[in-house]
Amino acid sequence: MSIRPFPAPADAACVAVYRDLREGVPKDSAQIGYGYNLYPAAPATDRHVQQVLARCQRQGRLHEYGTAHDAADRALAAELAGEYLGVPVGEEQVMFTAGASEGIGLVARYLAACDTAMILPAPCYFAFEQATRRNPAAIAGRYREDGTVHWSGGGARHTALVETLPNGVTGDLFVPPAVQADFRLLDIVFQAGGHAPDPHLITDRARAALNGTLTDTAVMMTPSKDLCVPGLRAGLLISGDTSLINAARDDVFNRVASPSPLAGQLVLLYLTVLLMAEAAHHSSGRAAGRRYAWLRAAYRRHDVDCPTEQTLQVIARHLDAMSTHFEESFHLLTEHGRGLLEIRDHLQPVAGYSLLPGLTADLDGPEELIAWVNRVGREHRLKVNPTLLFGGTRDSWSTLYPGRAAIRVNLSVPHDDLLHTLALLRTARHGLATAKVVVA
């Protein structure tokens, strides 16, 4: 039998350019802009995961295609998420996902079925762009930090505005564009790692954005980045549109009959830690005790084992230490990146470990930037992640950020690693300047 090959859809531009950037670059090269948190997980988090796994084994959750405990976890997650977001959430409005990436795919698939095009922030996580490869979805436009939109069409009947809190690449809070969208997706990327004087700025911004309602809205959260457990793939999808949740559950069931119970348990830990951390930073010395009493009662109502107050306090303190590490890294970047990167105080992430400073290099357009980044990788064994990797197209980047070559910097790495990669980058930057002089 002769089978005619079916051509796969083209990759999104940000995925396609990755191959050009990394061609011939050794896989073990150093990197200055990792896309995940390299700060070590709290030992208390590791112990909790081990206890949860043992408990799931005792309860038979590892041997069945779902149990009553799964529903209890969802109902508790709804109550905790409602408390955190300041909006009523029902069990039928939540589901656990295999990380935020799966959540993005599920929402994109639903929006495509509803003839809805997305308006994305630029930069954004590549999965939003790549979702259009697997689904007949469209991207109506992309917007920068001040809300200015570069429209790309799409031809869909409806639009969905995607907001990230904060932007997962720049660490900044974007101004939403002044558009009348039919739907919105709130992707809460980081909560921990914020710097003084307001370590809970993202919490406040999320509550303000929702303004007490989930109507025509979806919310995504994941413990992966803040708790440093990306390998365990845990995420939470919430929506007031229960048809979206039902469609997402059917979609997941079609692929995975029984999701891991660890996903739900990690989401519960994350929400509980966030609520306890907020209370711990409250001016009232008794706020933490009252919050833990509320949490214990909520867990008891749903017949779920509650983490100890000590466990939660230790993890919250670990997140404070992580925040301090990020802040110290930013100060090192400011000192040692002078003349190399455009570092200013307002670039410090409001939460999380990522920022996107401009590169002080004379590069004429995207083609020269791509060629230079590839040469840095091959000759200096340093992986550099420029703007073009983070969604959008060359047209949208040149329109929204004309003449700006920027690269991602990750503040979660050990300080010695940050200084080492900055030194490699400076050597590469000097080589570029020398080559320009020679050519001239």
Side-chain angles (χ1 to χ4, degrees), residues 213-238:
T213 181
L214 286 172
T215 302
D216 297 324
T217 300
V219 179
M220 291 192 307
M221 300 176 68
T222 174
S224 297
K225 294 180 173 65
D226 286 334
L227 295 186
C228 317
V229 287
L232 293 178
R233 310 309 303 151
L236 177 66
L237 175 61
I238 307 168

Side-chain angles (χ1 to χ4, degrees), residues 277-299:
E278 181 184 38
H281 294 148
H282 197 276
S283 57
S284 169
R286 292 181 292 179
R290 289 196 297 268
R291 175 59 61 80
Y292 186 70
W294 182 89
L295 288 165
R296 281 285 302 272
Y299 271 81

Side-chain angles (χ1 to χ4, degrees), residues 270-326:
Y270 185 46
L271 291 169
T272 305
V273 167
L274 291 177
L275 288 167
M276 277 297 293
E278 181 184 38
H281 294 148
H282 197 276
S283 57
S284 169
R286 292 181 292 179
R290 289 196 297 268
R291 175 59 61 80
Y292 186 70
W294 182 89
L295 288 165
R296 281 285 302 272
Y299 271 81
R300 193 179 300 115
R301 279 193 297 275
H302 297 283
D303 196 24
V304 179
D305 291 325
C306 185
T308 67
E309 185 172 9
Q310 182 183 15
T311 294
L312 299 174
Q313 289 173 344
V314 169
I315 296 175
R317 287 197 297 269
H318 186 82
L319 298 184
D320 286 341
M322 182 173 71
S323 177
T324 299
H325 176 87
F326 294 170

